[in-house]
Amino acid sequence: MKNLYVLLCIIYFGIHNTSFAQSQVSVNDDALTVIDSLYKEDQFYFSATYNILSKLPSGVDQTGFSLGLHAGFIKDMPINKRRNIAIGVGLGYSYNSYNQNLGIIEGEDHTVNYVVLDDTYEFDYSKNNFYLHMVELPIEFRWRTSTPTDYRFWRIYTGFKLGYVFSHISNFKGEVAEVRYTDVDGFNDLQYGLTLSVGYNTWNFYVYYALNPIFKDDVTTLISQERIEMNAIKLGLIFYML
């Protein structure tokens, strides 16, 4: 009888300890599935665009592919309880190239002339473009279908972007010369425009429409004295990540 009593005690305590261990595991499993009710979305961005020049002067055309690369950080600040509506404010860098036939040439008196390179000039050239390097301040109103546990969602972000041009470079390479200018005085240092991002999950279409011209108000073409009011339109893809 004594041995039977000992055996029954061992079985009882064994079952009790097993149940306790299982309850501990289920508590730990529940802890692993805690939902972050204060989540944020889309803090970092990277985009690649095709840059289009609008409002071209007479005789000026784009040539080749004009590339834009943009990256930065946006502070996401939800403004409703569901956290699918937010304001975004950030800081970024933007590189933009423009291939066209508007030659930027410095005269003997160090004045800058803007020459339309059309058929009136009897020489060939292989390169004529300018580059803009900018620091940008994006401000966005954000709507999305995200939840704390859903990382694939629709988004529509509209906003305004202010940019400061800290470097501009003009390149010309042809039969008569090879010229490179830095910090040309005729560019507007401030560039600003409207933005729109629309998409689902990874793939998002991006549009930027500039509200002011690339060049200053007093910049004109050399012969016709036509004011150069070109502004930029950027079309491409933008990628977001946390």
Side-chain angles (χ1 to χ4, degrees), residues 105 117-125 172 174-176:
I105 301 173
L117 302 175
D118 54 18
D119 295 336
T120 60
Y121 293 88
E122 297 180 354
F123 60 83
D124 294 327
Y125 63 93
F172 172 84
E175 292 180 341
V176 294

Side-chain angles (χ1 to χ4, degrees), residues 113-149:
N113 299 310
Y114 297 84
V115 181
V116 179
L117 302 175
D118 54 18
D119 295 336
T120 60
Y121 293 88
E122 297 180 354
F123 60 83
D124 294 327
Y125 63 93
S126 58
K127 177 186 293 186
N128 186 74
N129 51 30
F130 58 82
Y131 307 89
L132 303 180
H133 298 271
M134 307 168 64
V135 175
E136 294 187 320
L137 174 65
I139 302 172
E140 295 180 344
F141 177 80
R142 300 174 147 200
W143 174 88
R144 59 212 174 203
T145 61
S146 63
T147 68
T149 58

Side-chain angles (χ1 to χ4, degrees), residues 33-223:
T33 59
V34 172
I35 296 175
D36 181 12
S37 62
L38 300 179
Y39 75 98
K40 297 179 181 179
E41 294 288 358
D42 301 340
Q43 303 275 36
F44 293 92
Y45 69 90
F46 172 80
S47 65
T49 59
Y50 172 60
N51 296 340
I52 302 171
L53 290 171
S54 179
K55 301 179 182 178
L56 296 171
S58 301
V60 176
D61 296 303
Q62 280 194 256
T63 58
F65 185 83
S66 298
L67 175 67
L69 297 174
H70 326 275
F73 172 83
I74 295 181
K75 177 66 174 178
D76 187 77
M77 297 176 286
I79 58 176
N80 65 333
K81 185 176 181 180
R82 184 182 166 187
R83 304 181 75 81
N84 68 322
I85 299 176
I87 300 295
V89 179
L91 185 67
Y93 163 78
S94 178
Y95 161 83
N96 299 276
S97 68
Y98 299 93
N99 297 287
Q100 29 64 50
N101 64 334
L102 181 67
I104 300 176
I105 301 173
E106 187 176 279
E108 294 180 357
D109 57 353
H110 300 292
T111 60
V112 178
N113 299 310
Y114 297 84
V115 181
V116 179
L117 302 175
D118 54 18
D119 295 336
T120 60
Y121 293 88
E122 297 180 354
F123 60 83
D124 294 327
Y125 63 93
S126 58
K127 177 186 293 186
N128 186 74
N129 51 30
F130 58 82
Y131 307 89
L132 303 180
H133 298 271
M134 307 168 64
V135 175
E136 294 187 320
L137 174 65
I139 302 172
E140 295 180 344
F141 177 80
R142 300 174 147 200
W143 174 88
R144 59 212 174 203
T145 61
S146 63
T147 68
T149 58
D150 187 4
Y151 302 102
R152 295 186 178 186
F153 52 86
W154 289 96
R155 61 170 64 82
I156 300 176
Y157 297 166
T158 63
F160 176 84
K161 184 175 284 187
L162 175 66
Y164 173 73
V165 181
F166 64 86
S167 176
H168 26 71
I169 301 170
S170 172
N171 284 313
F172 172 84
K173 184 177 182 180
E175 292 180 341
V176 294
E178 183 173 345
V179 182
R180 177 183 175 92
Y181 298 115
T182 59
D183 299 325
V184 180
D185 186 56
F187 287 94
N188 270 325
D189 289 335
L190 290 179
Q191 304 281 325
Y192 51 88
L194 303 176
T195 62
L196 174 66
S197 303
V198 178
Y200 177 77
N201 194 20
T202 303
W203 298 98
N204 300 275
F205 295 99
Y206 174 78
V207 179
Y208 168 89
Y209 181 84
L211 296 176
N212 71 321
I214 295 174
F215 294 95
K216 295 179 179 179
D217 292 343
D218 59 349
V219 173
T220 59
T221 56
L222 180 61
I223 297 176

